[in-house]
Amino acid sequence: MSYSEDRSVWFAGQGLWQHVPVTEWADWSWQLKNRLTKLEDLERYMVLTPEERAGVLLAGSKLAMSITPYFFNLIDRQNPNCPIRLQMIPRAGEGQLHVEEMLDSLGEDEHSPVPGLVHRYPDRVLFLVTDRCASYCRYCTRSRLVSNAQDYNFHPEYEQGLRYIESHPEIRDVLLSGGDPLLLSDRKLDHLLGRLRAIKHVEFIRIGSRIPVFLPQRITPELCEVFKKHGPVWMSIHVNHPREATAELKDACERLSFAGVPLGNQSVLLKGVNDDDEIMKALVHRLLRMRVRPYYLYQMDLITGGSHFKVDVRKGMEIIQALRGHTTGYSVPQYVIDAPGGGGKVPINPDYVEKITDDEVVFKNYEGRTFRYPLTATPVQASGEAEQRPAKLHVELHG
Ligand SMILES: *Cc1c(COP(=O)(O)O)cnc(C)c1O
Ligand code: SF4
């Protein structure tokens, strides 16, 4: 059955780790301790393709490999094209560099007034509070610093970042990211959120995290209390494929929601993973059922060794076109390219407008039919001339 037909929410369970007591399985520190990080860890459970084998051996010098047991269970070990497998298991393609690619493709380091803080937009900052994640995505935009495999020596230091935010009253929005902020202890998060809340001009706090997807066990009642205490805290999770939308993720999202955390989702458009209209539709439908509003769909950044994931921008536009109008408006993310070199996120939209003049705008609807909207305001003349009036205001031209 295809993902679009199968509407059931799948419980991942313990899979390969049936022998582990359920209390350990449900403990996030057990999951972290038992991550698969080495070639032999993978080869205990699956046969790698030659490309994967070469990729794993290369990974240590690029972006470390790490997969939580929970997330590893989502991999179809018989299928080299499994969308989870493609995201998690390195391939030899990571070693192929291209001239368009950059270590810091978004020019974040240039917009960084203090280490770990990116101040690109007028009123908000990106605060990188850790360089670690529960698992590593092979297409990670911050692979230069995440996992520290490239000796980037990023040492998150909150004090400088907090002082910068405190002394810049124009900052009203702080986005905690990394790495994954939810790898910090409850105590550290409580402290960090408390410090941010104490800054009068900071009115919006959000966290970008893939932990609910990699490690739903981390979303404990204690953590939810921290969010309640310092709320509203918004969160963007990162789900790319409907297979990731398990019952475990749904429960984690529910716990967050009930703690008052509004949830959004960011996906990266990835070749062989989600560059497909039906897959994307199934994903956004599942997200809505989990109380998650699709927020951004990203064109992949020009990271080094990422070309095997690259999708044509026209495909991204086609996916948006296949959603808009055809399904719930809430489920349609904004497709963006984060401008290489550091121009910020720019919306890329399908072209609905055919023509715009001083008199009218001519545009297509979701079915491809053409409509016009007059920009003029022509007074209706004295009686008897009513026939001058267009029969309908929104005149359909053809279609
Ligand atoms: C993405 C991003 C933000 C947040 O952008 P929104 O469009 O408000 O979600 C802020 N700062 C930086 C540097 C970013 O990359
Ligand atoms: S979770 Fe985010 S920061 Fe971490 S490896 Fe994946 S994309 Fe990069």
Side-chain angles (χ1 to χ4, degrees), residues 63 88 131-143 146 177-180 208-211 214 238 268:
L63 168 69
M88 286 292 111
D131 63 345
R132 299 298 143 112
C133 298
S135 301
Y136 294 108
C137 315
R138 304 321 302 172
Y139 53 84
C140 177
T141 190
R142 290 199 194 96
S143 51
V146 158
S177 182
D180 202 313
S209 173
R210 211 180 179 191
I211 289 259
F214 288 145
H238 173 172
V268 181

PDB file of all heavy atoms in Angstrom, residues 63 88 131-143 146 177-180 208-211 214 238 268, ligand 2:
ATOM      1  N   LEU A  63      30.774  14.547   8.635  1.00  0.00           N
ATOM      2  CA  LEU A  63      29.718  14.713   9.625  1.00  0.00           C
ATOM      3  C   LEU A  63      29.573  13.333  10.241  1.00  0.00           C
ATOM      4  O   LEU A  63      29.397  12.347   9.532  1.00  0.00           O
ATOM      5  CB  LEU A  63      28.412  15.130   8.935  1.00  0.00           C
ATOM      6  CG  LEU A  63      27.126  15.076   9.745  1.00  0.00           C
ATOM      7  CD1 LEU A  63      27.120  16.136  10.831  1.00  0.00           C
ATOM      8  CD2 LEU A  63      25.911  15.267   8.839  1.00  0.00           C
ATOM      9  N   MET A  88      19.894   8.925   6.653  1.00  0.00           N
ATOM     10  CA  MET A  88      20.710   8.614   7.828  1.00  0.00           C
ATOM     11  C   MET A  88      22.038   7.934   7.523  1.00  0.00           C
ATOM     12  O   MET A  88      23.015   8.124   8.253  1.00  0.00           O
ATOM     13  CB  MET A  88      19.915   7.665   8.764  1.00  0.00           C
ATOM     14  CG  MET A  88      18.802   8.326   9.536  1.00  0.00           C
ATOM     15  SD  MET A  88      19.449   9.487  10.753  1.00  0.00           S
ATOM     16  CE  MET A  88      18.919  11.016  10.018  1.00  0.00           C
ATOM     17  N   ASP A 131      26.271  21.870  19.484  1.00  0.00           N
ATOM     18  CA  ASP A 131      26.694  21.348  18.169  1.00  0.00           C
ATOM     19  C   ASP A 131      26.329  19.872  18.024  1.00  0.00           C
ATOM     20  O   ASP A 131      26.754  19.218  17.090  1.00  0.00           O
ATOM     21  CB  ASP A 131      28.201  21.546  17.963  1.00  0.00           C
ATOM     22  CG  ASP A 131      29.036  20.784  18.977  1.00  0.00           C
ATOM     23  OD1 ASP A 131      28.475  20.340  20.011  1.00  0.00           O
ATOM     24  OD2 ASP A 131      30.243  20.627  18.753  1.00  0.00           O
ATOM     25  N   ARG A 132      25.532  19.357  18.958  1.00  0.00           N
ATOM     26  CA  ARG A 132      25.201  17.929  18.911  1.00  0.00           C
ATOM     27  C   ARG A 132      23.741  17.701  18.558  1.00  0.00           C
ATOM     28  O   ARG A 132      22.885  18.519  18.880  1.00  0.00           O
ATOM     29  CB  ARG A 132      25.485  17.279  20.275  1.00  0.00           C
ATOM     30  CG  ARG A 132      26.944  17.375  20.700  1.00  0.00           C
ATOM     31  CD  ARG A 132      27.832  16.659  19.722  1.00  0.00           C
ATOM     32  NE  ARG A 132      29.099  17.348  19.519  1.00  0.00           N
ATOM     33  CZ  ARG A 132      30.279  16.889  19.916  1.00  0.00           C
ATOM     34  NH1 ARG A 132      30.367  15.751  20.554  1.00  0.00           N
ATOM     35  NH2 ARG A 132      31.378  17.570  19.663  1.00  0.00           N
ATOM     36  N   CYS A 133      23.466  16.560  17.908  1.00  0.00           N
ATOM     37  CA  CYS A 133      22.099  16.137  17.613  1.00  0.00           C
ATOM     38  C   CYS A 133      21.941  14.688  18.045  1.00  0.00           C
ATOM     39  O   CYS A 133      22.929  13.982  18.235  1.00  0.00           O
ATOM     40  CB  CYS A 133      21.808  16.247  16.119  1.00  0.00           C
ATOM     41  SG  CYS A 133      21.926  17.933  15.509  1.00  0.00           S
ATOM     42  N   ALA A 134      20.697  14.251  18.141  1.00  0.00           N
ATOM     43  CA  ALA A 134      20.449  12.869  18.554  1.00  0.00           C
ATOM     44  C   ALA A 134      20.848  11.907  17.440  1.00  0.00           C
ATOM     45  O   ALA A 134      21.286  10.789  17.687  1.00  0.00           O
ATOM     46  CB  ALA A 134      18.979  12.696  18.909  1.00  0.00           C
ATOM     47  N   SER A 135      20.681  12.329  16.202  1.00  0.00           N
ATOM     48  CA  SER A 135      21.111  11.584  15.016  1.00  0.00           C
ATOM     49  C   SER A 135      21.547  12.648  14.031  1.00  0.00           C
ATOM     50  O   SER A 135      21.171  13.812  14.184  1.00  0.00           O
ATOM     51  CB  SER A 135      19.962  10.757  14.431  1.00  0.00           C
ATOM     52  OG  SER A 135      19.459   9.838  15.384  1.00  0.00           O
ATOM     53  N   TYR A 136      22.323  12.257  13.024  1.00  0.00           N
ATOM     54  CA  TYR A 136      22.788  13.266  12.072  1.00  0.00           C
ATOM     55  C   TYR A 136      22.217  13.030  10.680  1.00  0.00           C
ATOM     56  O   TYR A 136      22.297  11.923  10.144  1.00  0.00           O
ATOM     57  CB  TYR A 136      24.316  13.304  12.036  1.00  0.00           C
ATOM     58  CG  TYR A 136      24.879  13.776  13.361  1.00  0.00           C
ATOM     59  CD1 TYR A 136      25.523  12.902  14.222  1.00  0.00           C
ATOM     60  CD2 TYR A 136      24.699  15.096  13.764  1.00  0.00           C
ATOM     61  CE1 TYR A 136      25.999  13.338  15.453  1.00  0.00           C
ATOM     62  CE2 TYR A 136      25.161  15.543  14.995  1.00  0.00           C
ATOM     63  CZ  TYR A 136      25.808  14.669  15.829  1.00  0.00           C
ATOM     64  OH  TYR A 136      26.257  15.090  17.057  1.00  0.00           O
ATOM     65  N   CYS A 137      21.654  14.113  10.129  1.00  0.00           N
ATOM     66  CA  CYS A 137      21.063  14.055   8.802  1.00  0.00           C
ATOM     67  C   CYS A 137      22.181  14.288   7.800  1.00  0.00           C
ATOM     68  O   CYS A 137      22.931  15.261   7.926  1.00  0.00           O
ATOM     69  CB  CYS A 137      20.014  15.146   8.657  1.00  0.00           C
ATOM     70  SG  CYS A 137      18.925  15.258  10.085  1.00  0.00           S
ATOM     71  N   ARG A 138      22.240  13.463   6.805  1.00  0.00           N
ATOM     72  CA  ARG A 138      23.379  13.541   5.878  1.00  0.00           C
ATOM     73  C   ARG A 138      23.397  14.825   5.060  1.00  0.00           C
ATOM     74  O   ARG A 138      24.415  15.173   4.473  1.00  0.00           O
ATOM     75  CB  ARG A 138      23.394  12.316   4.943  1.00  0.00           C
ATOM     76  CG  ARG A 138      23.419  10.955   5.604  1.00  0.00           C
ATOM     77  CD  ARG A 138      24.279  10.854   6.843  1.00  0.00           C
ATOM     78  NE  ARG A 138      25.685  11.194   6.654  1.00  0.00           N
ATOM     79  CZ  ARG A 138      26.565  11.314   7.665  1.00  0.00           C
ATOM     80  NH1 ARG A 138      26.179  11.119   8.910  1.00  0.00           N
ATOM     81  NH2 ARG A 138      27.811  11.622   7.414  1.00  0.00           N
ATOM     82  N   TYR A 139      22.291  15.534   5.022  1.00  0.00           N
ATOM     83  CA  TYR A 139      22.199  16.752   4.217  1.00  0.00           C
ATOM     84  C   TYR A 139      22.271  17.989   5.093  1.00  0.00           C
ATOM     85  O   TYR A 139      21.926  19.084   4.660  1.00  0.00           O
ATOM     86  CB  TYR A 139      20.862  16.751   3.447  1.00  0.00           C
ATOM     87  CG  TYR A 139      19.725  16.529   4.401  1.00  0.00           C
ATOM     88  CD1 TYR A 139      19.167  17.573   5.105  1.00  0.00           C
ATOM     89  CD2 TYR A 139      19.270  15.234   4.669  1.00  0.00           C
ATOM     90  CE1 TYR A 139      18.183  17.356   6.046  1.00  0.00           C
ATOM     91  CE2 TYR A 139      18.285  15.012   5.599  1.00  0.00           C
ATOM     92  CZ  TYR A 139      17.750  16.082   6.285  1.00  0.00           C
ATOM     93  OH  TYR A 139      16.784  15.865   7.224  1.00  0.00           O
ATOM     94  N   CYS A 140      22.695  17.834   6.345  1.00  0.00           N
ATOM     95  CA  CYS A 140      22.599  18.925   7.328  1.00  0.00           C
ATOM     96  C   CYS A 140      23.268  20.200   6.835  1.00  0.00           C
ATOM     97  O   CYS A 140      24.416  20.200   6.414  1.00  0.00           O
ATOM     98  CB  CYS A 140      23.221  18.520   8.646  1.00  0.00           C
ATOM     99  SG  CYS A 140      23.194  19.890   9.841  1.00  0.00           S
ATOM    100  N   THR A 141      22.537  21.292   6.944  1.00  0.00           N
ATOM    101  CA  THR A 141      23.047  22.577   6.491  1.00  0.00           C
ATOM    102  C   THR A 141      24.200  23.072   7.350  1.00  0.00           C
ATOM    103  O   THR A 141      25.047  23.823   6.906  1.00  0.00           O
ATOM    104  CB  THR A 141      21.911  23.618   6.437  1.00  0.00           C
ATOM    105  OG1 THR A 141      22.395  24.766   5.791  1.00  0.00           O
ATOM    106  CG2 THR A 141      21.417  23.984   7.817  1.00  0.00           C
ATOM    107  N   ARG A 142      24.239  22.633   8.602  1.00  0.00           N
ATOM    108  CA  ARG A 142      25.336  23.070   9.472  1.00  0.00           C
ATOM    109  C   ARG A 142      26.338  21.963   9.719  1.00  0.00           C
ATOM    110  O   ARG A 142      26.965  21.878  10.765  1.00  0.00           O
ATOM    111  CB  ARG A 142      24.799  23.568  10.812  1.00  0.00           C
ATOM    112  CG  ARG A 142      24.085  24.858  10.636  1.00  0.00           C
ATOM    113  CD  ARG A 142      23.878  25.708  11.838  1.00  0.00           C
ATOM    114  NE  ARG A 142      22.887  26.679  11.414  1.00  0.00           N
ATOM    115  CZ  ARG A 142      21.583  26.531  11.651  1.00  0.00           C
ATOM    116  NH1 ARG A 142      21.133  25.552  12.392  1.00  0.00           N
ATOM    117  NH2 ARG A 142      20.741  27.408  11.176  1.00  0.00           N
ATOM    118  N   SER A 143      26.515  21.094   8.701  1.00  0.00           N
ATOM    119  CA  SER A 143      27.428  19.971   8.929  1.00  0.00           C
ATOM    120  C   SER A 143      28.858  20.458   9.178  1.00  0.00           C
ATOM    121  O   SER A 143      29.676  19.729   9.692  1.00  0.00           O
ATOM    122  CB  SER A 143      27.365  18.968   7.770  1.00  0.00           C
ATOM    123  OG  SER A 143      27.514  19.621   6.542  1.00  0.00           O
ATOM    124  N   VAL A 146      28.181  20.964  13.133  1.00  0.00           N
ATOM    125  CA  VAL A 146      27.456  19.943  13.856  1.00  0.00           C
ATOM    126  C   VAL A 146      28.294  18.662  13.922  1.00  0.00           C
ATOM    127  O   VAL A 146      28.913  18.285  12.930  1.00  0.00           O
ATOM    128  CB  VAL A 146      26.081  19.702  13.183  1.00  0.00           C
ATOM    129  CG1 VAL A 146      25.517  18.351  13.529  1.00  0.00           C
ATOM    130  CG2 VAL A 146      25.103  20.801  13.561  1.00  0.00           C
ATOM    131  N   SER A 177      18.617  26.944  18.195  1.00  0.00           N
ATOM    132  CA  SER A 177      18.866  25.837  17.284  1.00  0.00           C
ATOM    133  C   SER A 177      20.251  25.290  17.570  1.00  0.00           C
ATOM    134  O   SER A 177      20.792  25.468  18.656  1.00  0.00           O
ATOM    135  CB  SER A 177      18.713  26.342  15.844  1.00  0.00           C
ATOM    136  OG  SER A 177      18.907  25.294  14.918  1.00  0.00           O
ATOM    137  N   GLY A 178      20.847  24.631  16.607  1.00  0.00           N
ATOM    138  CA  GLY A 178      22.176  24.078  16.829  1.00  0.00           C
ATOM    139  C   GLY A 178      22.663  23.399  15.566  1.00  0.00           C
ATOM    140  O   GLY A 178      22.580  23.969  14.495  1.00  0.00           O
ATOM    141  N   GLY A 179      22.908  22.167  15.756  1.00  0.00           N
ATOM    142  CA  GLY A 179      22.614  21.181  16.754  1.00  0.00           C
ATOM    143  C   GLY A 179      21.157  21.187  17.237  1.00  0.00           C
ATOM    144  O   GLY A 179      20.339  21.895  16.715  1.00  0.00           O
ATOM    145  N   ASP A 180      20.911  20.385  18.211  1.00  0.00           N
ATOM    146  CA  ASP A 180      19.554  20.246  18.699  1.00  0.00           C
ATOM    147  C   ASP A 180      19.441  20.674  20.157  1.00  0.00           C
ATOM    148  O   ASP A 180      19.944  19.986  21.052  1.00  0.00           O
ATOM    149  CB  ASP A 180      19.082  18.794  18.531  1.00  0.00           C
ATOM    150  CG  ASP A 180      17.572  18.705  18.512  1.00  0.00           C
ATOM    151  OD1 ASP A 180      16.947  19.333  19.398  1.00  0.00           O
ATOM    152  OD2 ASP A 180      17.012  18.030  17.634  1.00  0.00           O
ATOM    153  N   GLY A 208      14.116  25.109  17.292  1.00  0.00           N
ATOM    154  CA  GLY A 208      14.132  24.205  16.144  1.00  0.00           C
ATOM    155  C   GLY A 208      14.717  22.889  16.615  1.00  0.00           C
ATOM    156  O   GLY A 208      15.829  22.860  17.138  1.00  0.00           O
ATOM    157  N   SER A 209      13.969  21.798  16.454  1.00  0.00           N
ATOM    158  CA  SER A 209      14.444  20.521  16.993  1.00  0.00           C
ATOM    159  C   SER A 209      13.972  19.342  16.155  1.00  0.00           C
ATOM    160  O   SER A 209      12.819  19.300  15.727  1.00  0.00           O
ATOM    161  CB  SER A 209      13.924  20.322  18.417  1.00  0.00           C
ATOM    162  OG  SER A 209      14.242  19.022  18.875  1.00  0.00           O
ATOM    163  N   ARG A 210      14.879  18.384  15.965  1.00  0.00           N
ATOM    164  CA  ARG A 210      14.445  17.149  15.316  1.00  0.00           C
ATOM    165  C   ARG A 210      14.331  16.021  16.346  1.00  0.00           C
ATOM    166  O   ARG A 210      14.086  14.867  15.987  1.00  0.00           O
ATOM    167  CB  ARG A 210      15.413  16.764  14.182  1.00  0.00           C
ATOM    168  CG  ARG A 210      14.665  16.047  13.078  1.00  0.00           C
ATOM    169  CD  ARG A 210      15.453  15.602  11.884  1.00  0.00           C
ATOM    170  NE  ARG A 210      14.500  14.925  10.985  1.00  0.00           N
ATOM    171  CZ  ARG A 210      14.801  14.212   9.942  1.00  0.00           C
ATOM    172  NH1 ARG A 210      16.056  14.074   9.580  1.00  0.00           N
ATOM    173  NH2 ARG A 210      13.874  13.610   9.215  1.00  0.00           N
ATOM    174  N   ILE A 211      14.501  16.380  17.630  1.00  0.00           N
ATOM    175  CA  ILE A 211      14.421  15.365  18.682  1.00  0.00           C
ATOM    176  C   ILE A 211      13.070  14.632  18.727  1.00  0.00           C
ATOM    177  O   ILE A 211      13.052  13.405  18.888  1.00  0.00           O
ATOM    178  CB  ILE A 211      14.757  16.002  20.056  1.00  0.00           C
ATOM    179  CG1 ILE A 211      16.260  16.320  20.107  1.00  0.00           C
ATOM    180  CG2 ILE A 211      14.273  15.154  21.207  1.00  0.00           C
ATOM    181  CD1 ILE A 211      17.115  15.364  20.856  1.00  0.00           C
ATOM    182  N   PHE A 214      13.627  11.934  16.150  1.00  0.00           N
ATOM    183  CA  PHE A 214      14.694  10.959  16.396  1.00  0.00           C
ATOM    184  C   PHE A 214      14.551  10.262  17.736  1.00  0.00           C
ATOM    185  O   PHE A 214      15.038   9.152  17.931  1.00  0.00           O
ATOM    186  CB  PHE A 214      16.060  11.669  16.427  1.00  0.00           C
ATOM    187  CG  PHE A 214      16.547  12.145  15.098  1.00  0.00           C
ATOM    188  CD1 PHE A 214      17.279  13.325  15.006  1.00  0.00           C
ATOM    189  CD2 PHE A 214      16.311  11.426  13.938  1.00  0.00           C
ATOM    190  CE1 PHE A 214      17.755  13.770  13.780  1.00  0.00           C
ATOM    191  CE2 PHE A 214      16.788  11.869  12.713  1.00  0.00           C
ATOM    192  CZ  PHE A 214      17.510  13.042  12.639  1.00  0.00           C
ATOM    193  N   HIS A 238      11.037  18.701  12.501  1.00  0.00           N
ATOM    194  CA  HIS A 238      11.638  18.502  11.174  1.00  0.00           C
ATOM    195  C   HIS A 238      11.328  17.075  10.735  1.00  0.00           C
ATOM    196  O   HIS A 238      11.998  16.135  11.133  1.00  0.00           O
ATOM    197  CB  HIS A 238      13.154  18.770  11.335  1.00  0.00           C
ATOM    198  CG  HIS A 238      13.987  18.465  10.132  1.00  0.00           C
ATOM    199  ND1 HIS A 238      15.314  18.809  10.062  1.00  0.00           N
ATOM    200  CD2 HIS A 238      13.722  17.852   8.971  1.00  0.00           C
ATOM    201  CE1 HIS A 238      15.821  18.421   8.914  1.00  0.00           C
ATOM    202  NE2 HIS A 238      14.879  17.822   8.233  1.00  0.00           N
ATOM    203  N   VAL A 268      13.030  19.405   4.367  1.00  0.00           N
ATOM    204  CA  VAL A 268      13.993  19.715   3.320  1.00  0.00           C
ATOM    205  C   VAL A 268      13.627  18.839   2.124  1.00  0.00           C
ATOM    206  O   VAL A 268      13.379  17.644   2.286  1.00  0.00           O
ATOM    207  CB  VAL A 268      15.436  19.417   3.783  1.00  0.00           C
ATOM    208  CG1 VAL A 268      16.430  19.778   2.690  1.00  0.00           C
ATOM    209  CG2 VAL A 268      15.756  20.173   5.058  1.00  0.00           C
TER     210      VAL A 268
HETATM  211  S1  SF4 B   2      18.779  17.491  13.258  1.00  0.00           S
HETATM  212 FE1  SF4 B   2      19.074  19.459  12.179  1.00  0.00          FE
HETATM  213  S2  SF4 B   2      21.034  20.246  12.939  1.00  0.00           S
HETATM  214 FE2  SF4 B   2      20.950  18.064  13.471  1.00  0.00          FE
HETATM  215  S3  SF4 B   2      21.926  16.966  11.785  1.00  0.00           S
HETATM  216 FE3  SF4 B   2      19.729  17.035  11.303  1.00  0.00          FE
HETATM  217  S4  SF4 B   2      19.466  18.886  10.045  1.00  0.00           S
HETATM  218 FE4  SF4 B   2      21.473  19.066  11.094  1.00  0.00          FE
END
